[in-house]
Amino acid sequence: KSRNIFFTMIVALRGKLVKSSPLSAVLDVGGVYYGVNIPITTAEKLPKLGSETFLHTFAVYREDSQTLYGFATEADRDFFAVLVEKVSGPKIALNMLSRMSSTSLKSAIAAGDVSLLSKCPGIGKKTAERLVLELREALGASAGGSTPLPYNPSSPTNVSDALSALVALGVKLADADKAVRLAVAKLGEDANAEELIKLSLSAK
């Protein structure tokens, strides 16, 4: 069934940040004020109000609405576009990227971690299974698969395993994702799951 979604060529905005919240931002671009929906993982990276801000954007035009989505990185924007096109609508895709970074989501998909993906709001087991089925090969998990999506940890399961372990220990998914992201930033993408878990727990 067609969702009647049409995509425009507005791929980025640069302007002064005049308002922000965990899920939205307003940019003054040459006197034109753009309201942009953003995930929490992008809101964490916004500068202070009044500062110049650059967002990679993705615009969705429906028959009854026009909505702009913004992201801190091009990889996040492109992954959001893939989620919208292949599996879910913009709202669910944005919720997913608010709970887990694109790197964590890609890792969970590449590892086939349906249980972890199912913990994202609006993502049941069936949708999680579709994510794995539709995107796993594109992430390079299948032999001979191409890799059109930006993703390059040496072990595709390290982040997913660390996240799953922290969630199993009772850490909220969003908190676990943030802790693992910080651990990866400090230790590097080659760190194994045990190292990521240890550092994540010590930082709490």
Side-chain angles (χ1 to χ4, degrees):
K1 182 180 178 180
S2 173
R3 292 192 292 266
N4 296 320
I5 296 177
F6 305 95
F7 307 109
T8 74
M9 295 301 292
I10 302 175
V11 297
L13 289 175
R14 185 188 298 277
K16 184 172 66 175
L17 182 66
V18 296
K19 186 177 181 180
S20 67
S21 75
L23 292 174
S24 67
V26 177
L27 268 62
D28 175 0
V29 182
V32 179
Y33 288 69
Y34 289 87
V36 187
N37 293 290
I38 59 175
I40 292 173
T41 48
T42 288
E44 294 172 349
K45 300 174 183 177
L46 289 177
K48 64 181 181 179
L49 295 181
S51 300
E52 182 177 83
T53 304
F54 182 89
L55 292 175
H56 299 271
T57 57
F58 183 85
V60 176
Y61 278 36
R62 295 180 184 269
E63 294 176 348
D64 58 351
S65 66
Q66 302 174 9
T67 310
L68 196 61
Y69 299 87
F71 305 89
T73 68
E74 187 175 5
D76 285 352
R77 189 269 314 278
D78 292 348
F79 186 58
F80 174 82
V82 170
L83 289 175
V84 171
E85 180 182 358
K86 295 285 188 180
V87 183
S88 66
K91 183 176 180 180
I92 292 178
L94 196 69
N95 284 341
M96 291 178 69
L97 283 165
S98 286
R99 291 299 187 276
M100 298 170 66
S101 65
S102 59
T103 298
S104 297
L105 285 167
K106 292 172 189 176
S107 181
I109 292 168
D113 196 337
V114 172
S115 176
L116 183 61
L117 292 168
S118 298
K119 295 185 183 298
C120 290
I123 301 297
K125 183 178 179 181
K126 288 185 177 180
T127 302
E129 290 173 344
R130 280 189 60 206
L131 279 167
V132 173
L133 180 65
E134 295 278 352
L135 302 181
R136 194 175 189 182
E137 185 173 355
L139 291 170
S142 298
S146 60
T147 55
L149 300 178
Y151 182 71
N152 63 359
S154 59
S155 170
T157 62
N158 58 348
V159 173
S160 178
D161 287 349
L163 276 171
S164 293
L166 291 175
V167 171
L169 290 171
V171 181
K172 292 182 179 180
L173 180 59
D175 293 336
D177 176 71
K178 186 173 183 179
V180 171
R181 280 189 283 125
L182 292 173
V184 170
K186 187 171 183 178
L187 299 177
E189 293 181 340
D190 292 334
N192 61 41
E194 184 178 354
E195 292 171 328
L196 295 175
I197 293 167
K198 185 176 180 180
L199 183 57
S200 296
L201 290 173
S202 68
K204 293 186 67 61

